């Protein structure tokens, strides 16, 4: 298995250590065809990307692509901010980006206290005490993910089930229906081999991403390789390996709506 592209990396525009160019050079060294710069979304209270810096980020991305010859995509790891599936990516933000990632994070400005309480507080409390959340909490998180997928042109769901627990099969079915990929994150192990198999039964497609916060991790696949060795899914379901590149729904959305 050879990684073709890494669609989840960070820079100092949010919580990363190295520059856009550093990440692009690391991608070139790793033999990748594409790399995405996907800093944390606007509503992240500690490390959120700033809208006033979007033009500067695009300039750095264009320069890095020119200098390295690697296709560099401008993206964002946006945040789920409500049970109704809203994110911190507004419609007028979309014009700046090439790829749209989304996940659930902790230190975040949610749309309302109720959304914070029902999405994050209840999940995180269960996580901290090593307990499985109640079925109602799982149902709420599942509802939030499904509404995100249905209501936004999200290309990739990041580190699903990490500290926030959902019905993986239902979310995977929705992703398969709408053309959203589920990330196999190699920064942290967020799903088991059994859960990966369970999602794969729906026909959903996956991408392997490093979630690199430093350039020396761009293109890293170690955790994914370990997970896949334990699982039984076909490599045909992974869209960014062995020369393959995904088809992103956001690209089509921009052609139609922007």
């Amino acid at each position: 298995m050879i990684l073709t592209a890494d669609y989840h990396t960070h820079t100092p525009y949010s919580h990363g250590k190295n520059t856009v160019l550093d990440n692009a050079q690391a991608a070139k060294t790793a033999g990748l065809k594409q790399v995405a710069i996907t800093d944390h979304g606007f509503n992240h209270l500690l490390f959120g990307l700033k809208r006033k810096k979007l033009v500067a980020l695009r300039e750095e991305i264009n320069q890095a692509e020119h200098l390295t010859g690697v296709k560099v995509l401008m993206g964002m790891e946006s945040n789920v901010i409500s049970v109704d599936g809203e994110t911190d990516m507004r419609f007028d933000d979309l014009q700046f980006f090439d790829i749209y990632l989304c996940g659930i994070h902790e230190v975040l400005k949610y749309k309302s206290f109720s959304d914070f309480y029902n999405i994050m507080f209840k999940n995180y409390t269960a996580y901290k005490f090593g307990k499985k959340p109640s079925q109602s909490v799982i149902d709420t998180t599942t509802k939030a993910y499904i509404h995100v997928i249905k209501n936004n042109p999200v290309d990739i769901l990041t580190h699903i089930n990490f500290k926030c627990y959902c019905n993986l099969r239902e979310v995977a079915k929705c992703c398969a229906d709408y053309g959203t990929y589920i990330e196999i994150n190699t920064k942290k192990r967020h799903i088991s081999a059994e859960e990966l198999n369970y999602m794969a039964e729906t026909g959903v497609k996956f991408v392997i991403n490093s979630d690199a916060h430093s350039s020396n991790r761009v293109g890293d696949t170690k955790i994914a390789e370990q997970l896949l060795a334990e699982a039984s899914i076909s490599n045909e379901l992974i869209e960014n390996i062995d020369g393959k590149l995904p088809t992103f729904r956001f690209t089509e959305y921009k052609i139609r709506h922007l």
Side-chain angles (χ1 to χ4, degrees), residues 13 51-60 74 96:
Y13 279 92
R51 286 184 172 89
K52 64 183 179 180
K53 294 187 176 181
L54 292 177
V55 172
L57 175 56
R58 171 59 74 182
E59 290 176 354
E60 285 196 41
M74 180 166 166
F96 293 99

Side-chain angles (χ1 to χ4, degrees), residues 43 76 78-82 85-90 100 102 148 152 154:
N43 281 31
M76 187 174 82
S78 64
N79 300 289
V80 180
I81 63 170
S82 79
E86 293 162 281
T87 80
D88 53 359
M89 181 86 83
R90 300 191 306 229
Y100 190 160
C102 190
V148 163
N152 304 274
V154 172

Side-chain angles (χ1 to χ4, degrees), residues 35-254:
V35 65
I37 306 301
T38 52
D39 282 300
H40 288 292
F42 302 118
N43 281 31
H44 198 296
L45 294 175
L46 297 179
F47 307 114
L49 180 62
K50 306 299 182 185
R51 286 184 172 89
K52 64 183 179 180
K53 294 187 176 181
L54 292 177
V55 172
L57 175 56
R58 171 59 74 182
E59 290 176 354
E60 285 196 41
I61 283 173
N62 290 345
Q63 182 181 38
E65 184 173 302
H66 174 73
L67 292 173
T68 63
V70 174
K71 180 64 179 176
V72 185
L73 303 177
M74 180 166 166
M76 187 174 82
E77 188 185 11
S78 64
N79 300 289
V80 180
I81 63 170
S82 79
V83 175
D84 291 331
E86 293 162 281
T87 80
D88 53 359
M89 181 86 83
R90 300 191 306 229
F91 180 81
D92 56 355
D93 296 323
L94 298 176
Q95 61 184 309
F96 293 99
F97 296 97
D98 307 310
I99 186 172
Y100 190 160
L101 278 62
C102 190
I104 294 177
H105 295 87
E106 300 156 48
V107 188
L108 190 68
K109 180 182 179 182
Y110 283 85
K111 185 178 181 182
S112 69
F113 179 79
S114 176
D115 291 308
F116 161 74
Y117 183 74
N118 287 302
I119 295 175
M120 177 47 61
F121 182 81
K122 289 183 177 180
N123 271 293
Y124 191 71
T125 300
Y127 167 79
K128 289 297 287 184
F129 286 96
K131 297 180 180 179
K132 183 178 179 180
S134 69
Q135 189 59 49
S136 65
V137 173
I138 292 172
D139 290 345
T140 297
T141 310
T142 302
K143 177 182 176 182
Y145 272 128
I146 287 175
H147 284 169
V148 163
I149 298 160
K150 289 182 175 181
N151 297 332
N152 304 274
V154 172
D155 293 316
I156 302 169
L157 280 188
T158 62
H159 47 69
I160 190 171
N161 249 33
F162 182 66
K163 300 182 182 179
C164 282
Y165 306 93
C166 65
N167 183 320
L168 288 169
R169 187 175 185 85
E170 290 304 312
V171 175
K173 283 169 59 179
C174 188
C175 286
D177 288 342
Y178 282 81
T180 294
Y181 299 100
I182 291 179
E183 174 184 84
I184 301 174
N185 186 294
T186 69
K187 183 173 183 284
K188 46 205 168 231
R189 185 152 179 168
H190 56 106
I191 50 174
S192 68
E194 182 181 9
E195 289 170 334
L196 183 60
N197 290 339
Y198 193 53
M199 289 190 290
E201 290 174 0
T202 69
V204 71
K205 299 294 183 68
F206 302 90
V207 293
I208 295 171
N209 285 330
S210 69
D211 193 0
H213 285 59
S214 59
S215 60
N216 62 3
R217 286 204 59 256
V218 172
D220 174 52
T221 60
K222 184 177 180 180
I223 287 177
E225 290 176 17
Q226 294 170 347
L227 180 62
L228 292 167
E230 299 168 16
S232 58
I233 77 166
S234 167
N235 281 358
E236 294 299 315
L237 293 178
I238 304 172
E239 290 291 286
N240 63 331
I241 61 171
D242 301 335
K244 294 187 294 182
L245 293 172
T247 300
F248 290 124
R249 62 184 290 206
F250 183 50
T251 302
E252 183 178 349
Y253 179 91
K254 288 185 70 174

